[in-house]
Amino acid sequence: MSAELPRAILFDWDNTLVDNWPTIHDALNTTLAAMGHPTWSLAETRARVRASLRDSFPVMFGARWEAARDIFYARFEARHIETLAPLPGAAALLNALHARGVYLGVVSNKTGRYLRKEAAALGWTGRFGRLVGAQDAAVDKPHRAPVDLALADAGMVAGPAVWFVGDTAMDMRCAYAAGCTAVLVGD
């Protein structure tokens, strides 16, 4: 007996398919220091970074959030491709699922243009029907809007036959909000 594959699998990006924490951490600490805030350890960055910048920076930096955004993006853009690393087995998994005809997409709170640059740098763009990042939909995850956008080109509707694979509670909330089957990976 073999298990039936889902119609579609939507993946979170960072810490689900790739590791880009060194650059995220560096850009965030550059921003925190420039804005007069204490910097974070890598463990704190990994634990605290969940929401999109558009949702988290106004809370963190108040009225100065747009200046903080510009600092973060300038530092992140300068380094994100050079430190990007696929997680072990990620490429083989994507290749196998793609070969079996499973629709694949990404729903991430990483800004969409950076997400798509990273997928292209890894040679993965062709594996995905749609790569949806922060600011691509009207609202970011955990709202269901990015899920609906990721499935729209394939004419699919979110539901139990669509798996949402991610590493955080935010990913699971997004899966539940869209009615997808939630698959938690990582520790």
Side-chain angles (χ1 to χ4, degrees), residues 6 8 26 29 32 37 41 49 51 53-54 57 67 72 111 118 123 128 131 134 137 148 155 161-162 179 184 186:
D26 174 69
N29 273 344
L32 289 167
H37 292 257
S41 69
V49 173
L53 185 145
R54 126 170 105 176
F57 270 36
F72 178 88
T111 301
E118 291 178 9
F128 299 108
L131 293 137
D148 294 335
V162 175
L184 181 64

Short mmCIF file of all heavy atoms in Angstrom, two decimals, residues 6 8 26 29 32 37 41 49 51 53-54 57 67 72 111 118 123 128 131 134 137 148 155 161-162 179 184 186:
data_model
loop_
_atom_site.label_atom_id
_atom_site.label_comp_id
_atom_site.label_asym_id
_atom_site.label_seq_id
_atom_site.Cartn_x
_atom_site.Cartn_y
_atom_site.Cartn_z
N PRO A 6 -0.21 14.56 -1.88
CA PRO A 6 -1.15 15.69 -1.93
C PRO A 6 -1.20 16.27 -3.34
O PRO A 6 -0.30 16.04 -4.15
CB PRO A 6 -0.55 16.69 -0.94
CG PRO A 6 0.90 16.35 -0.91
CD PRO A 6 1.01 14.88 -1.14
N ALA A 8 -0.99 19.44 -3.92
CA ALA A 8 -0.02 20.54 -3.91
C ALA A 8 0.67 20.58 -2.55
O ALA A 8 0.09 20.18 -1.54
CB ALA A 8 -0.71 21.87 -4.17
N ASP A 26 22.72 39.13 10.59
CA ASP A 26 23.62 40.25 10.36
C ASP A 26 22.85 41.53 10.00
O ASP A 26 23.11 42.60 10.54
CB ASP A 26 24.62 39.89 9.25
CG ASP A 26 25.49 41.06 8.87
OD1 ASP A 26 26.35 41.46 9.69
OD2 ASP A 26 25.31 41.59 7.75
N ASN A 29 20.94 42.81 13.11
CA ASN A 29 21.81 43.45 14.09
C ASN A 29 22.36 44.77 13.58
O ASN A 29 22.52 45.73 14.36
CB ASN A 29 22.93 42.51 14.53
CG ASN A 29 22.50 41.63 15.68
OD1 ASN A 29 21.50 41.91 16.35
ND2 ASN A 29 23.24 40.58 15.92
N LEU A 32 19.38 47.03 14.20
CA LEU A 32 19.17 47.31 15.63
C LEU A 32 20.21 48.30 16.15
O LEU A 32 19.87 49.27 16.84
CB LEU A 32 19.23 46.00 16.43
CG LEU A 32 18.04 45.05 16.26
CD1 LEU A 32 18.37 43.68 16.85
CD2 LEU A 32 16.79 45.63 16.92
N HIS A 37 19.21 50.22 19.35
CA HIS A 37 18.67 49.10 20.13
C HIS A 37 19.78 48.09 20.41
O HIS A 37 20.74 47.98 19.64
CB HIS A 37 17.56 48.38 19.33
CG HIS A 37 16.33 49.20 19.15
ND1 HIS A 37 15.19 49.00 19.88
CD2 HIS A 37 16.05 50.21 18.28
CE1 HIS A 37 14.25 49.85 19.48
NE2 HIS A 37 14.76 50.60 18.52
N SER A 41 21.57 37.84 19.87
CA SER A 41 22.38 36.66 19.54
C SER A 41 21.69 35.96 18.36
O SER A 41 20.51 36.21 18.07
CB SER A 41 22.46 35.71 20.73
OG SER A 41 21.18 35.11 20.96
N VAL A 49 12.37 36.06 15.05
CA VAL A 49 11.98 36.48 13.70
C VAL A 49 10.94 35.50 13.15
O VAL A 49 11.24 34.33 12.91
CB VAL A 49 13.20 36.57 12.76
CG1 VAL A 49 12.77 36.83 11.33
CG2 VAL A 49 14.15 37.67 13.25
N ALA A 51 7.36 37.14 11.87
CA ALA A 51 6.45 37.94 11.05
C ALA A 51 7.22 38.64 9.93
O ALA A 51 8.44 38.78 9.98
CB ALA A 51 5.73 38.97 11.92
N LEU A 53 8.56 41.75 7.66
CA LEU A 53 9.10 43.04 8.05
C LEU A 53 7.98 44.08 8.10
O LEU A 53 7.93 44.89 9.03
CB LEU A 53 10.20 43.46 7.08
CG LEU A 53 10.95 44.74 7.42
CD1 LEU A 53 12.39 44.62 7.00
CD2 LEU A 53 10.30 45.94 6.76
N ARG A 54 7.06 44.04 7.14
CA ARG A 54 5.98 45.03 7.11
C ARG A 54 5.11 44.94 8.36
O ARG A 54 4.51 45.93 8.78
CB ARG A 54 5.21 44.88 5.81
CG ARG A 54 3.75 44.70 5.88
CD ARG A 54 3.04 44.79 4.56
NE ARG A 54 2.63 43.51 4.03
CZ ARG A 54 1.93 43.38 2.93
NH1 ARG A 54 1.56 44.42 2.23
NH2 ARG A 54 1.58 42.19 2.50
N PHE A 57 8.40 45.40 11.85
CA PHE A 57 9.21 46.61 12.06
C PHE A 57 8.42 47.78 12.65
O PHE A 57 8.97 48.52 13.48
CB PHE A 57 9.94 47.00 10.79
CG PHE A 57 11.31 46.37 10.66
CD1 PHE A 57 11.56 45.07 11.11
CD2 PHE A 57 12.35 47.05 10.09
CE1 PHE A 57 12.81 44.48 10.99
CE2 PHE A 57 13.62 46.49 9.97
CZ PHE A 57 13.85 45.20 10.42
N ALA A 67 12.83 53.92 8.16
CA ALA A 67 14.29 54.09 8.14
C ALA A 67 14.97 52.77 8.49
O ALA A 67 15.97 52.38 7.86
CB ALA A 67 14.71 55.19 9.11
N PHE A 72 17.90 47.67 6.95
CA PHE A 72 17.86 46.21 6.89
C PHE A 72 18.00 45.72 5.45
O PHE A 72 18.82 44.85 5.15
CB PHE A 72 16.56 45.68 7.50
CG PHE A 72 16.45 44.18 7.43
CD1 PHE A 72 16.96 43.40 8.45
CD2 PHE A 72 15.85 43.56 6.35
CE1 PHE A 72 16.88 42.01 8.38
CE2 PHE A 72 15.76 42.18 6.27
CZ PHE A 72 16.28 41.40 7.29
N THR A 111 10.63 38.99 1.88
CA THR A 111 10.17 39.85 0.79
C THR A 111 10.28 39.09 -0.54
O THR A 111 11.29 38.47 -0.83
CB THR A 111 10.99 41.14 0.76
OG1 THR A 111 10.83 41.79 2.02
CG2 THR A 111 10.54 42.06 -0.35
N GLU A 118 16.70 34.29 -4.58
CA GLU A 118 17.33 33.14 -3.94
C GLU A 118 16.96 31.84 -4.66
O GLU A 118 17.82 31.00 -4.89
CB GLU A 118 16.96 33.09 -2.46
CG GLU A 118 17.60 34.22 -1.68
CD GLU A 118 17.23 34.25 -0.21
OE1 GLU A 118 16.59 33.29 0.28
OE2 GLU A 118 17.57 35.26 0.46
N GLY A 123 18.80 27.64 -8.66
CA GLY A 123 18.31 26.90 -9.81
C GLY A 123 16.99 26.20 -9.55
O GLY A 123 16.65 25.23 -10.23
N PHE A 128 8.85 25.40 -8.93
CA PHE A 128 7.68 25.99 -8.25
C PHE A 128 6.72 26.63 -9.24
O PHE A 128 7.14 27.32 -10.15
CB PHE A 128 8.14 27.05 -7.25
CG PHE A 128 9.02 26.51 -6.16
CD1 PHE A 128 10.38 26.80 -6.14
CD2 PHE A 128 8.51 25.71 -5.16
CE1 PHE A 128 11.20 26.29 -5.15
CE2 PHE A 128 9.33 25.20 -4.16
CZ PHE A 128 10.67 25.49 -4.16
N LEU A 131 6.13 31.48 -6.34
CA LEU A 131 6.90 31.84 -5.16
C LEU A 131 6.30 33.13 -4.61
O LEU A 131 6.46 34.19 -5.21
CB LEU A 131 8.37 32.05 -5.53
CG LEU A 131 9.11 30.80 -5.97
CD1 LEU A 131 9.98 31.07 -7.17
CD2 LEU A 131 9.93 30.26 -4.81
N ALA A 134 6.56 38.05 1.20
CA ALA A 134 5.93 39.19 1.87
C ALA A 134 5.73 40.31 0.86
O ALA A 134 6.55 40.53 -0.02
CB ALA A 134 6.81 39.66 3.02
N ALA A 137 1.04 39.56 -1.64
CA ALA A 137 -0.40 39.53 -1.43
C ALA A 137 -0.79 40.77 -0.63
O ALA A 137 0.07 41.49 -0.11
CB ALA A 137 -0.80 38.26 -0.68
N ASP A 148 -3.67 31.54 -1.09
CA ASP A 148 -4.56 31.63 -2.25
C ASP A 148 -3.81 32.12 -3.48
O ASP A 148 -4.02 31.61 -4.58
CB ASP A 148 -5.74 32.56 -1.93
CG ASP A 148 -6.65 31.98 -0.85
OD1 ASP A 148 -6.69 30.74 -0.67
OD2 ASP A 148 -7.33 32.79 -0.17
N GLY A 155 -5.03 27.07 -10.61
CA GLY A 155 -6.48 26.88 -10.53
C GLY A 155 -6.89 26.01 -9.35
O GLY A 155 -7.94 25.39 -9.37
N ALA A 161 -6.18 18.65 0.73
CA ALA A 161 -5.30 18.03 -0.28
C ALA A 161 -4.09 18.90 -0.60
O ALA A 161 -3.25 18.52 -1.41
CB ALA A 161 -6.08 17.74 -1.55
N VAL A 162 -4.00 20.06 0.05
CA VAL A 162 -2.83 20.94 -0.08
C VAL A 162 -2.11 20.92 1.26
O VAL A 162 -2.69 21.23 2.30
CB VAL A 162 -3.25 22.39 -0.43
CG1 VAL A 162 -2.04 23.31 -0.45
CG2 VAL A 162 -3.99 22.42 -1.76
N GLY A 179 -7.11 26.26 5.65
CA GLY A 179 -7.73 24.95 5.59
C GLY A 179 -6.85 23.87 5.00
O GLY A 179 -7.32 22.81 4.58
N LEU A 184 4.53 20.29 10.20
CA LEU A 184 5.58 20.98 10.94
C LEU A 184 6.88 20.20 10.80
O LEU A 184 6.91 19.00 11.03
CB LEU A 184 5.20 21.10 12.41
CG LEU A 184 6.18 21.82 13.33
CD1 LEU A 184 6.33 23.28 12.94
CD2 LEU A 184 5.72 21.70 14.78
N GLY A 186 11.32 20.33 11.57
CA GLY A 186 12.34 20.95 12.39
C GLY A 186 12.15 20.61 13.84
O GLY A 186 11.36 19.75 14.21
#
